Structures are given as structure tokens and as C-alpha cells.
Amino acid sequence: MTSAKPRARVRAPELTGRGWLNTGGADVKLADLRGKVVLLDFWTFCCINCLHVLDELRPIEEEFADVLVTIGVHSPKFTHEADPEALRAAVERYEVHHPVLDDPELGTWQQYAVRAWPTLVLVDPEGYVVHVAAGEGHAEALRRVIREVIAEHDAKGTLHRGDGPYVPPPAPETVLRFPAKAIRTPSGSVLVADSGRHSLAELDESGEDLLRRIGSGARGRADGDAPTFSEPNGLALLPPEVAERVGYDVVVADTVNHLLRGVRLADGRVSTVAGTGNQWRDGETDGPGLEVDLTSPWDVVWWPPANGVVVAMAGNHTIGLFDPLSGNVSRFAGTTVEGLRDGAAEQAFFAQTSGLAAAEDRLWLADSETSALRWIAKGDNGFTVHTAIGEGLFDFGHRDGPAKQALLQHPLGLALLPDGSVAICDTYNGAVRRYDPVTDEVSTLATDVAEPSGAVVVDGELVVVASAAHRLERPVPPGVSARLVAGAAQQVRRLPTDVTPGEIELVVVFTPPPGEKLDERYGPPTRLEITSSPPELLVEGAGASTGLSRRVVIAEGIPSGVLHVVAQAASCDVEAEHPVCRLARQDWGVPVRVDQRGLRRLPLVMGGMDEQAE
């Protein structure tokens, strides 16, 4: 928590980077934006939390269009994200309708002392930082702070109204736009989740000719004969006997709507089968499907050992389960902590699982943020999680050979090959990889594929969804052998935070926005959970508790690691008969380096300003 003492005003550093998008080729300087309220959104396009915030900001940008200038500062995590063309595609893919600064060297990120994706920084019309927030769920807080800033500077005469520097790019013309996943239908056609067109596209067996489109192409969540979607991704074909009983054939992961939708292939009729449309932030994850919040379901697959549709719940790093017959949803695996930890399913850590493939005895998973291939198997003591490829949140690359030393870069899709091996859409390497569970070896099947994000086997041939090329491709001709790539290991270029060995104070800074207070009606309004990789990094202080500060003890002799911090705070309106309450939540993966000269106080700003900062 922060104190109420006065704090010196901090001038916002200038924005520097490689270039700008959505400005018509012009550079933007903070000095040119005097008189405007400026909202900086530090993001990277691999990050599901950043994508959530893009959607949270859309209504705010519209509401304050004449005084607010939103600027996305793209500070990449993965090497691929530093490619300017990849960034240009992502800005279009996610319909970013504000200027974006390309910050590949994280220069502006470091100038603003950012520690997490996403982070929001509000700058007043005189160029001073007035509010910082990390994570999701800050939309109402931003509204209140923006209104206060507008009122203050309107009275001072320092507020200027009018258009900002955003210049929309030309509209593209393609049949598919950033397609995500594909499945084979019983009739032999290929059904594609056309994410950029907010619809489903049914193609013929060749994967080239459009047979029909399910969905109007506009963002929405309408059911019926004229349905709408919002960035759909995963598709799961139900067994015929199940489909007959429930009245639909395909389950769709309607990602941005936080819904599962059912599609009847006979006439294209769509129904909502799970989710409320609200994003899960806390509370129940088990119960009647239409009464439980979901969070960015990214892929879905029917898996007989689970007797239901397994859901890659990318938004909170868990695996869900949907039973079409009962209509119930439940948590199948994971804790909501982002990381890589194997073991019992309910205790495992996942990191933005984005791809699924079902074998008889294994459920394969692509964990994008840890660049990992993992699997779940059923044993005598329940379901357990295992890792075939992957080392952690900050390690990636393109390297073949024995799986224990092989590396991927943000894989998004999987397909089971006829020989029992697994095809991996190694998205940010632009490659299709192969993992053989018999030999425990990794090889490369194809390269130069534009962001492969899903795949399906059609008549024995692998058909790959080349998302950034806006089409389906067959990059692995029959008879082509896999090859080995001896690539180098890479790590995220984000600078680690130096912390001293021994006792330190970890503080999550959160100040309720204007007009709100912490919601203490039903018990402690805050929660803090801390773990580490490796676990030995923390001698004391791991676990969950109330409050937003904790004494932790860092081990000596371990040079570096990652602190996994999950914090949430509930606040509600101060003066209201029936107050509206909100939950702010953020998870940090903080890379740390242990150094005798390191910090003894580690602040992480979730909302407000750190009053103890120099």
C-alpha cells in the first residue's frame, strides 16, 4: 500500500524507438502532444494480458476521443516480435487503432522503469506522469483518473481538444485474414477459424475455395442464423453420438468474447454453450457452463480420457474441461500461476497454453510463453503433467536434437501425425517442427512459414494454417524427410532486477482510484501469491496470503531465477447505496539476479504511484 504524503511530480521521458506505426509515417513527440491526456500502453503481442488490455481500452478511447491520445509502446519479449513486419501484422491482427511506437531495444520501457507486460502510464497535458497501472482490470480506474485530469486542466486552460495523430492504414483484401486453427469436417471440407474476419470459413478439400462463411465478419456475440464472433481461435469436432444429443457438431473457442460456442454444421446455426461473456478474474471456475466466467479460451479438443472438451484457458494459464452433455465446465489442470511446473494436474503451472492435440493416451499441449511442448496423461493417481521440450519463461530458440536440449519459440498449434509423432507449429520461428515420443527427438519439417498457428492432417498430408500469410499451406510435401537444425539458445532481452541475498521486502503498490476504496465487506480485499523458479531461490516467503507486502528471503549461492508474483485487490465505490466493485489482478514473472548490491525493497506497481520511489 502507498502512503498519502505529497510526491514530487515526475516529467514523462520522451518516446524513443525504431519507428512508428499508424501515424502515416510521421514521428510523434510528447512535446507535440502538450494539451492532450496521453495514455502509454506498454505491450508485446505475444502476451494474452496485453491483448486483454487492448480490448479494455477500446471504449475508453472512444469515450475520450477528443482529449485522449493512446500510444502503444511495443517492447518485445521474443526475437520474432522485434521484427518490424511481424509487429505491423500484429497491429492489424488485433485492430490496434492508435499510434504504436516500435521499441525493439526496450529503450522507452527502461526509461519508464517498466517491470511487466502490460503496463499503463497516464501523462497529463503538461507532460507529467500522474498514474501507473500494471495488469488488467483498470478500465474504470483509468476513467476516473482521466476525468480528474480533464477537469483540472480544463479549469487551468491547458487542455486542448481535437483529433490526435492516428492515421489508419489501408484496408486489406484477402479471403482469410489471420486464420488461427482448422479442423476436418465429416463431409471432408476444412473448417477454419478466420480470426481476423471474426468468423468461420469453410473451405473445400483443397483448402483454397471458400464454400461458405459462418458469421457476419463483425465483432459480436450474437447467436442464431446470423451469428457474430470476436477473434475465434480453436475448433473441436464432437463425436457423432455426442453431437446428435446436444444439437451441435463443433465447439468454437470464441477467444475475445470469453465464450465457447456450438456450431451446427447442417445449417451454420450458432449457440453459446459456455461462458457469460465476462472475463474471469476470480471466483468459481466449476459449475453450469453458462454461469461460469471464462478467460480467453484459445484452443479446444475432445479427449476421451477426460470425457469432454479440453479447453486451453490462455487467459489465466489453466486447462479447463467442458462437458457438452451436462453443460458443466470445470478446471482440469493448473493453478493460474504462470510458469513451467510438472506433476499432479491440479498443482502444475502452465503459461498461456494455445495449442492442443489429442492422442489416445496423451493430451499434447503447446505452452506458448514458456516455448514448451507438454503432455497430460492419466495414471493410477489421476492426471499428471509432463514436459517434453521447454525450459522456462525466458528461454527459447530454434534447436533440434534430443528433446531435453531442444528449443522452440512461442508455439501456438499442434497436430498428431499418422505415425504418432507430433507436428508443432513453432510460430515465432516460422517453422513446423516434429517431436517423436519414441526416440524423444526433435527435428524440423519446414521453415519460412508465416506464423504457423494451427494444423490439420488431410488425407495423410499436413495442412498448416499460415496465419500471417492469410492462407492454408502444405509446406511438407509427401516423402520429405525431417532435418536437424543446430540453432543457438536465446533469452528474453529484458534486464533482470538485482536483489540482495537474504531478507528483502516485496511490495505490490495499489491505490484505489478516485471515488473508490478497498472493499473490506467480505474479508481481506487483497491477496498476494509468491513462488519462484527454481523453488530454492526463495528460502522464506513463498505461498499465498492477504496483504500486498511480504518479507521474503532470497537464497545465497543461486545466481539468478524468476519470482512469480500474483496479486489482486478488490475495490468499490465510496458513496453509493449499491456500490459497484471491481477486481484488479496482475501476475509478474520477474527475472532477478542475486547481487550483494541489489535491492532490499522490490516494488511492483499494480495501480497508483510508488510514493517511496526516488
Side-chain angles (χ1 to χ4, degrees):
M1 296 296 296
T2 59
S3 63
K5 66 181 181 180
R7 188 179 192 277
R9 296 211 296 171
V10 177
R11 176 72 72 177
E14 190 51 83
L15 306 174
T16 58
R18 178 167 56 189
W20 288 85
L21 288 82
N22 286 352
T23 64
D27 290 344
V28 177
K29 300 292 184 185
L30 282 180
D32 301 332
L33 300 177
R34 292 290 187 267
K36 294 285 190 181
V37 183
V38 179
L39 178 60
L40 304 179
D41 175 17
F42 289 85
W43 70 301
T44 186
F45 65 77
C46 73
C47 163
I48 189 65
N49 310 92
C50 300
L51 304 185
H52 290 164
V53 168
L54 286 176
D55 289 303
E56 290 178 5
L57 294 181
R58 295 185 202 278
I60 294 176
E61 294 177 84
E62 183 177 351
E63 181 179 352
F64 301 104
D66 63 334
V67 293
L68 177 68
V69 174
T70 301
I71 292 177
V73 181
H74 188 266
S75 305
K77 173 182 177 180
F78 290 100
T79 300
H80 176 70
E81 293 176 293
D83 182 328
E85 290 307 310
L87 173 58
R88 189 178 304 280
V91 168
E92 181 199 332
R93 178 197 300 264
Y94 298 117
E95 297 182 8
V96 180
H97 292 164
H98 52 247
V100 174
L101 172 65
D102 185 3
D103 182 30
E105 301 299 326
L106 278 66
T108 297
W109 164 288
Q110 293 173 30
Q111 285 292 313
Y112 280 82
V114 175
R115 295 185 188 275
W117 295 281
T119 292
L120 301 168
V121 178
L122 198 68
V123 180
D124 73 12
E126 294 180 313
Y128 291 95
V129 175
V130 293
H131 186 76
V132 178
E136 307 174 36
H138 297 291
E140 185 57 31
L142 283 171
R143 279 192 179 91
R144 295 181 182 221
V145 176
I146 290 169
R147 286 171 185 150
E148 281 201 344
V149 171
I150 290 172
E152 175 187 347
H153 287 273
D154 220 359
K156 291 171 65 175
T158 51
L159 185 71
H160 300 161
R161 299 181 183 272
D163 293 335
Y166 170 65
V167 178
E173 292 185 10
T174 54
V175 173
L176 302 177
R177 203 70 194 167
F178 300 108
K181 311 284 185 185
I183 58 171
R184 190 88 182 271
T185 72
S187 68
S189 63
V190 179
L191 188 65
V192 180
D194 196 5
S195 183
R197 300 277 191 226
H198 309 296
S199 59
L200 309 182
E202 186 174 4
L203 308 178
D204 67 358
E205 292 186 13
S206 72
E208 296 180 0
D209 295 330
L210 181 67
L211 301 178
R212 65 170 167 170
R213 187 173 292 277
I214 301 173
S216 70
R219 281 187 188 269
R221 49 172 296 188
D223 286 335
D225 298 322
T228 53
F229 300 88
S230 187
E231 296 180 30
N233 277 280
L235 304 167
L237 188 67
L238 296 179
E241 64 276 13
V242 175
E244 184 176 0
R245 290 178 61 183
V246 299
Y248 55 89
D249 307 281
V250 175
V251 174
V252 180
D254 195 5
T255 305
V256 175
N257 277 328
H258 310 294
L259 298 174
L260 298 183
R261 317 287 294 280
V263 179
R264 189 166 63 197
L265 291 175
D267 56 7
R269 188 172 180 81
V270 173
S271 57
T272 297
V273 298
T276 64
N278 297 319
Q279 181 189 342
W280 179 92
R281 297 196 188 281
D282 192 29
E284 291 297 327
T285 57
D286 298 8
L290 295 173
E291 299 176 13
V292 175
D293 296 342
L294 309 180
T295 174
S296 296
W298 203 279
D299 202 5
V300 282
V301 70
W302 177 269
W303 192 41
N307 197 32
V309 176
V310 178
V311 184
M313 209 73 73
N316 65 1
H317 316 295
T318 64
I319 309 299
L321 183 65
F322 169 60
D323 180 356
L325 295 176
S326 69
N328 290 333
V329 296
S330 59
R331 180 172 295 172
F332 184 58
T335 68
T336 77
V337 174
E338 183 182 20
L340 193 154
R341 186 172 78 181
D342 292 339
E346 64 273 12
Q347 298 174 3
F349 293 172
F350 299 92
Q352 207 171 304
T353 307
S354 301
L356 302 170
E360 288 186 7
D361 59 341
R362 294 184 183 186
L363 176 70
W364 294 99
L365 309 96
D367 251 10
S368 62
E369 284 295 277
T370 49
S371 298
L373 174 67
R374 309 175 75 185
W375 83 87
I376 298 177
K378 187 177 183 179
D380 295 337
N381 297 318
F383 292 96
T384 55
V385 180
H386 311 262
T387 297
I389 309 167
E391 299 181 4
L393 281 168
F394 301 101
D395 300 280
F396 61 93
H398 186 161
R399 186 165 64 195
D400 290 329
K404 65 180 180 180
Q405 57 91 57
L407 294 168
L408 309 169
Q409 186 180 179
H410 199 80
L412 290 179
L414 302 172
L416 194 66
L417 296 172
D419 64 358
S421 63
V422 182
I424 307 165
C425 294
D426 192 6
T427 310
Y428 285 5
N429 278 325
V432 179
R433 314 282 291 282
R434 176 179 179 269
Y435 171 67
D436 186 341
V438 176
T439 63
D440 199 31
E441 295 275 336
V442 180
S443 55
T444 295
L445 292 171
T447 54
D448 299 321
V449 184
E451 293 191 10
S453 61
V456 60
V457 175
V458 177
D459 297 332
E461 187 175 7
L462 188 67
V463 177
V464 176
V465 181
S467 186
H470 318 295
R471 62 177 182 261
L472 304 186
E473 295 182 352
R474 288 173 162 78
V476 189
V480 171
S481 299
R483 56 193 174 88
L484 298 180
V485 174
Q490 298 176 349
Q491 284 193 321
V492 174
R493 289 174 293 173
R494 176 178 163 191
L495 293 175
T497 298
D498 289 334
V499 296
T500 185
E503 183 176 321
I504 70 169
E505 181 187 20
L506 191 151
V507 180
V508 174
V509 178
F510 178 77
T511 303
E516 292 188 18
K517 64 179 180 179
L518 287 173
D519 182 10
E520 298 178 329
R521 295 173 299 164
Y522 307 110
T526 58
R527 184 179 185 274
L528 179 62
E529 182 175 358
I530 305 174
T531 54
S532 66
S533 299
E536 297 78 20
L537 178 67
L538 279 178
V539 177
E540 295 180 30
S545 65
T546 59
L548 293 179
S549 66
R550 189 179 307 170
R551 169 190 170 273
V552 300
V553 178
I554 304 295
E556 294 198 48
I558 296 180
S560 62
V562 178
L563 292 177
H564 305 281
V565 181
V566 181
Q568 61 186 45
S571 60
C572 59
D573 295 335
V574 173
E575 297 180 0
E577 182 178 355
H578 302 289
V580 176
C581 298
R582 303 167 184 87
L583 184 72
R585 178 185 172 95
Q586 167 65 355
D587 52 75
W588 290 267
V590 183
V592 297
R593 182 170 53 201
V594 182
D595 190 292
Q596 293 289 347
R597 297 165 295 178
L599 299 175
R600 293 189 177 276
R601 177 180 182 272
L602 177 57
L604 301 173
V605 179
M606 184 164 67
M609 301 284 283
D610 182 12
E611 302 295 346
Q612 296 188 41
E614 295 182 357

